Amino acid sequence: MQLFRHLIVPTGFSFTYVRSRCDLSLVTSARKDLLLAAAFVSDAQYNRNTPFKTSPEAVRLYYLYNHWIMRTATYFFIFLNLSLAVFEEPAVYPLPFLVTSLVEVLCLLVFFVRLTHFAKVTLRNVFWKDTKNICIMVAILLSLTDLAIYGVLRMYNVRSVRWSRIVRPIFLINFAESRQIRRAFRSIRNTLPEITYVFLLFMFSLLMFSLMALKLFGERNLQTAEGLPYFKNYLEIVFDLYVLVTTANSPDVMMPAFDFSSWYALFFIAFVIINTYIFMSLFLAVVYNNYKKHLKNEIRKLAYMKHRKMIEAFNLLKEEEGAQFVVREARWKQLVKLVAPDITNSHRELLLRISDDEQKGFIDKKSFIQLADLLNIQVITLKIRSHPLGQWMPRVYKSAVSRFLHSMVRHRFDTLIIFAALTATILNTTLKSTMKYNSQQILDIVFILRVLRLIRIVDSIQRFRVIINTLINIVPTMLTFGGLTLVVYCVFAIVGMELFHGKIQFFPANSNAPHALECGNPALKDSLFARGKYCKNNFNNFASSFIVLMELTVVNQWHVFANGFANVTVQPVKLYFIAFHIVMVIIIVNIFVSFILEAFFVEYSLEKSEVETAIEQKIQELGMGVQEDELQDEQLLDNMETAEHDLEGEGGTKPQSKGLMFKIASKRYRTVDALLQRMFEAEIPLEEEGPSFEEILNLSPTAAAPSNLTSERAA
């Protein structure tokens, strides 16, 4: 309104017009700075390390790019693209080629638009230097080319291979939203050199033991339980002993030699001790050590980027106050409203109280940088009011029946279990004649529901709670490694379908089809695969392939699968199963175990020493009652009642609880990056300013810090 008053003054029109334009320009500039600072803080909160353009148009596009609807749509089309393998030949649910082709083209178009959007908000030199963007463009081009070639050949009834399907997981890995999966792949890539040395030593041991086995047992004319020659072929011996390392064929593989002489058991005992227990444990140790080291460097780079973005946000909003630069309280509130619009006024005032502990009316640089961490701590605002029934009818509210109902509501888990059991009993009584299950089955369900109440005992024991908290903390990481597993499974499933499709068939038990007992292939006659009735474990479609790969991950009987598929194709295909075991079981599963170990160590130390971060401690100190009736944005601190006064009113009596209580939700972390930074925060030094954006982007994966910072610290 002040601007419009200037515009209607009849005298001094020119001066007033210029003044209005200047005021408007200042307001617009301040608004732009605020939006840009909010983008920096939001990136720091969610650990996004994208160096985006800072023009107003680019900032608005960047907000749109990070909107949850855009991210959800991207993930939807990524998984839609991956799921096309279920409907394409060989299909679980066949769809016409035209339908799957149109869906794939739509997915590729969405990916191209998303990549173009990312290019609009990212610095050009950064975009074209980023390998993941190049990978997406190449994958789109290859997919379109393969789709066109396959469609043309199909028109002329020429069968060809959809080789581009193997590149579809690239979209899951390389979009900016999948930074967790991409980080896991980088950690694997950086860990491979050290694993290679151990693997070469392990292979040397395996080959030496195989040579000794050939010399010890090859001339004895021994036979296996199937009547086949025992340890006659060197390559078969290498495969059998590799399987023994996984314990999948123990003790079957040693029984012919053990039956011949009990002393030969010493050979297999020595082999198992050296290769299974020592080398496999060494694999875990090397993977854990190198994975932790490289992950720490990844998180260090992320921490530097987070610190730098908070510095940039501070520089945009800072004002001079005496000998220092600060952010005014009003600007800080506007910033928090933009970054976290869903939090309540009380929560926002609580964060302000932590940032401006002395109530000076401004926030200094050090406190401002902590804002991203403050927003990542989940604070529950509890509204504490007396129940209206307690005011109107206090005797009824305090009666025994009322207290009983109140306890039932408080113990929601028990109430739910009891209510479910009661419902099952009533249904059994009233609908007994029409129910599918008989009375005994309903009673069994009731008993099972009652036993579930024992879960409360688990939560009441501190050490059990440590394990439960660890499991909850690693759920996001399990999703990350789930995505990693999905990528590996997709690649091996597509390769497996091309190698083994139609080689093994499943027939019902009463089928009269030829070679039904041999899974439709006479090459499997009298094999362990056919005798074990594993015919349904095949690569005839995408779903069956995933099931086989899951069974191979479990390891048990995986050599039976390998031998079965080798019998219907060629013996070298055993390398496919060995490669899957190395990638999935030795590398990825060990890395997952490494992360669980580290997460458990952190959770255990937190529970054992009851240590919390300084921010969490401060919030707990300020988790006090607030009179909500009198609450205004500026009145929150005046209405706080500290624990030192025990919330007592006049005369030493407690007043009616009609306020707010602030409570830390848990020691759990909202993002995987927050948990990772918590795991390594003691080992990540951050300087006052930290490195620049360019230095962070050029930081080597193996470097502990930028070279200039390291040299300065040494000096």
Side-chain angles (χ1 to χ4, degrees):
M1 293 297 296
Q2 186 66 27
L3 295 177
F4 287 105
R5 291 194 192 100
H6 289 314
L7 289 175
I8 61 175
V9 174
T11 59
F13 173 79
S14 177
F15 171 77
T16 306
Y17 178 77
V18 172
R19 180 181 173 185
S20 302
R21 289 287 301 272
C22 291
D23 290 347
L24 184 61
S25 177
L26 289 175
V27 171
T28 305
S29 176
R31 179 65 180 175
K32 291 178 181 178
D33 289 344
L34 187 63
L35 288 173
L36 181 57
F40 281 132
V41 174
S42 180
D43 277 7
Q45 179 186 359
Y46 294 104
N47 288 285
R48 293 189 288 260
N49 58 355
T50 304
F52 57 90
K53 297 176 184 177
T54 56
S55 64
E57 296 78 9
V59 171
R60 284 193 292 269
L61 285 175
Y62 189 63
Y63 273 107
L64 178 62
Y65 182 86
N66 290 316
H67 196 278
W68 69 269
I69 294 179
M70 302 293 288
R71 296 199 309 270
T72 303
T74 303
Y75 277 121
F76 171 78
F77 282 102
I78 287 174
F79 286 105
L80 178 62
N81 190 44
L82 289 174
S83 66
L84 285 176
V86 178
F87 307 100
E88 297 170 332
E89 296 180 358
V92 182
Y93 305 104
L95 287 178
F97 172 72
L98 181 61
V99 174
T100 58
S101 300
L102 291 176
V103 173
E104 184 172 5
V105 170
L106 175 62
C107 293
L108 296 176
L109 180 62
V110 171
F111 299 154
F112 179 76
V113 171
R114 185 68 169 166
L115 187 64
T116 305
H117 191 172
F118 187 69
K120 290 289 186 181
V121 301
T122 312
L123 301 174
R124 177 171 298 183
N125 60 333
V126 174
F127 179 85
W128 290 107
K129 287 181 181 179
D130 198 335
T131 308
K132 67 177 183 291
N133 301 325
I134 306 299
C135 288
I136 293 174
M137 287 187 287
V138 171
I140 292 174
L141 182 61
L142 289 177
S143 299
L144 289 174
T145 304
D146 178 47
L147 183 62
I149 294 174
Y150 183 84
V152 171
L153 293 177
R154 185 183 176 89
M155 291 173 61
Y156 293 96
N157 296 322
V158 178
R159 187 186 182 278
S160 61
V161 176
R162 283 297 312 276
W163 48 265
S164 69
R165 294 197 298 175
I166 202 171
V167 305
R168 287 176 181 172
I170 289 177
F171 300 115
L172 178 60
I173 300 171
N174 287 286
F175 270 109
E177 292 81 1
S178 303
R179 62 182 182 275
Q180 308 292 349
I181 300 177
R182 197 160 51 251
R183 182 184 302 136
F185 269 107
R186 283 199 302 268
S187 298
I188 291 173
R189 182 189 63 197
N190 295 328
T191 306
L192 282 179
E194 294 298 330
I195 297 178
T196 303
Y197 292 116
V198 180
F199 184 76
L200 291 176
L201 194 58
F202 163 72
M203 288 303 300
F204 176 78
S205 172
L206 180 64
L207 294 174
M208 289 298 100
F209 270 98
S210 300
L211 184 60
M212 286 188 286
L214 180 64
K215 296 301 181 183
L216 282 174
F217 311 120
E219 304 298 330
R220 309 279 179 191
N221 295 322
L222 302 177
Q223 292 184 336
T224 64
E226 294 80 27
L228 301 176
Y230 180 71
F231 279 11
K232 286 282 188 179
N233 184 285
Y234 182 69
L235 292 179
E236 291 183 359
I237 295 173
V238 173
F239 178 74
D240 288 337
L241 291 184
Y242 183 85
V243 174
L244 180 59
V245 172
T246 67
T247 70
N249 61 352
S250 177
D252 298 348
V253 70
M254 85 168 197
M255 292 311 297
F258 184 57
D259 291 339
F260 184 80
S261 174
S262 300
W263 290 102
Y264 284 142
L266 296 176
F267 171 84
F268 294 95
I269 293 173
F271 177 84
V272 169
I273 291 174
I274 293 174
N275 293 280
T276 302
Y277 292 111
I278 295 179
F279 270 107
M280 291 299 106
S281 300
L282 193 60
F283 268 119
L284 177 58
V286 171
V287 167
Y288 174 68
N289 183 58
N290 287 275
Y291 173 73
K292 180 180 178 181
K293 179 179 68 176
H294 293 294
L295 182 62
K296 191 188 305 177
N297 291 333
E298 290 272 355
I299 298 304
R300 179 180 288 108
K301 183 176 179 179
L302 201 64
Y304 279 130
M305 183 65 78
K306 175 181 177 180
H307 186 77
R308 168 49 57 185
K309 291 202 171 186
M310 292 304 299
I311 292 291
E312 294 295 328
F314 178 82
N315 291 337
L316 286 168
L317 304 179
K318 67 183 180 182
E319 300 179 20
E320 191 171 359
E321 176 69 26
Q324 63 177 339
F325 287 100
V326 299
V327 175
R328 297 294 177 188
E329 179 181 314
R331 295 282 277 172
W332 186 93
K333 288 182 179 180
Q334 292 175 342
L335 176 68
V336 175
K337 284 182 179 180
L338 282 176
V339 177
D342 296 331
I343 67 174
T344 62
N345 290 338
S346 303
H347 187 181
R348 186 164 51 252
E349 291 293 329
L350 178 64
L351 299 184
L352 176 61
R353 178 66 176 86
I354 298 167
S355 300
D356 182 15
D357 193 19
E358 299 179 3
Q359 304 181 50
K360 297 178 180 178
F362 56 80
I363 293 88
D364 59 19
K365 185 176 183 180
K366 182 179 179 181
S367 299
F368 182 87
I369 292 174
Q370 292 179 339
L371 177 59
D373 295 322
L374 282 171
L375 293 173
N376 272 328
I377 297 175
Q378 187 176 0
V379 179
I380 297 177
T381 304
L382 301 175
K383 296 183 179 180
I384 303 176
R385 297 178 177 176
S386 59
H387 198 278
L389 190 62
Q391 299 176 356
W392 302 335
M393 294 180 288
R395 291 186 178 181
V396 175
Y397 182 73
K398 295 179 181 179
S399 65
V401 176
S402 177
R403 288 197 299 269
F404 172 73
L405 294 175
H406 180 70
S407 65
M408 286 187 63
V409 174
R410 187 171 64 247
H411 301 296
R412 297 176 184 176
F413 182 79
D414 289 346
T415 304
L416 179 63
I417 295 298
I418 294 172
F419 180 76
L422 179 62
T423 303
T425 305
I426 294 173
L427 287 175
N428 176 56
T429 303
T430 57
L431 304 176
K432 184 182 298 184
S433 58
T434 59
M435 292 281 289
K436 181 179 179 181
Y437 302 102
N438 57 35
S439 301
Q440 183 60 43
Q441 289 172 324
I442 290 292
L443 189 60
D444 291 340
I445 295 174
V446 172
F447 285 152
I448 292 173
L449 291 173
R450 295 288 294 173
V451 170
L452 289 177
R453 295 186 64 195
L454 295 175
I455 296 175
R456 291 183 59 84
I457 299 177
V458 175
D459 187 60
S460 64
I461 300 175
Q462 182 180 4
R463 292 306 173 195
F464 287 167
R465 199 180 306 121
V466 171
I467 299 173
I468 293 174
N469 285 341
T470 303
L471 292 175
I472 295 175
N473 272 335
I474 65 175
V475 165
T477 307
M478 291 177 69
L479 295 178
T480 298
F481 282 94
L484 196 64
T485 301
L486 178 63
V487 170
V488 175
Y489 274 30
C490 284
V491 172
F492 275 91
I494 292 170
V495 174
M497 285 190 294
E498 297 298 338
L499 290 175
F500 309 118
H501 171 64
K503 302 295 184 181
I504 293 175
Q505 300 291 336
F506 171 73
F507 300 93
N510 57 353
S511 175
N512 296 323
H515 306 293
L517 296 178
E518 293 84 23
C519 306
N521 198 315
L524 292 175
K525 185 177 181 179
D526 297 328
S527 66
L528 288 175
F529 191 94
R531 283 189 289 176
K533 297 183 178 180
Y534 294 146
C535 303
K536 207 167 186 178
N537 297 295
N538 53 56
F539 286 89
N540 293 344
N541 56 58
F542 201 60
S544 297
S545 302
F546 262 60
I547 294 174
V548 173
L549 294 176
M550 184 274 296
E551 293 168 336
L552 293 176
T553 305
V554 177
V555 172
N556 190 37
Q557 295 290 78
W558 74 276
H559 63 292
V560 177
F561 291 0
N563 286 321
F565 285 102
N567 289 340
V568 299
T569 51
V570 291
Q571 291 300 314
V573 299
K574 291 179 180 177
L575 294 174
Y576 169 87
F577 297 92
I578 294 175
F580 179 81
H581 180 267
I582 292 172
V583 172
M584 192 67 216
V585 178
I586 293 182
I587 297 179
I588 294 181
V589 171
N590 277 334
I591 285 181
F592 183 52
V593 171
S594 302
F595 190 92
I596 290 179
L597 287 174
E598 191 68 24
F600 179 78
F601 292 155
V602 171
E603 190 67 35
Y604 182 84
S605 62
L606 285 174
E607 286 288 334
K608 185 175 182 180
S609 59
E610 296 182 358
V611 175
E612 293 181 330
T613 63
I615 299 173
E616 289 174 329
Q617 290 176 349
K618 190 66 176 178
I619 288 182
Q620 285 188 337
E621 291 173 5
L622 297 175
M624 309 163 189
V626 181
Q627 295 298 323
E628 191 179 52
D629 297 342
E630 304 169 5
L631 179 63
Q632 302 294 332
D633 282 358
E634 295 80 6
Q635 292 179 333
L636 173 103
L637 305 180
D638 298 331
N639 289 296
M640 283 191 172
E641 296 172 323
T642 65
E644 296 176 359
H645 297 89
D646 201 24
L647 296 178
E648 293 184 358
E650 295 180 4
T653 59
K654 292 185 179 182
Q656 295 290 333
S657 298
K658 295 176 62 179
L660 301 175
M661 292 297 292
F662 298 101
K663 177 186 176 184
I664 300 295
S666 67
K667 297 178 184 178
R668 298 160 192 160
Y669 302 89
R670 292 175 57 182
T671 62
V672 180
D673 293 325
L675 174 60
L676 292 172
Q677 290 186 42
R678 178 67 183 91
M679 289 163 57
F680 299 127
E681 65 181 3
E683 306 175 46
I684 301 178
L686 283 178
E687 287 70 18
E688 179 66 22
E689 286 292 333
S692 65
F693 281 130
E694 185 177 358
E695 290 171 335
I696 296 171
L697 294 174
N698 295 327
L699 185 62
S700 170
T702 58
S707 56
N708 63 330
L709 294 177
T710 305
S711 59
E712 290 174 5
R713 194 180 299 114

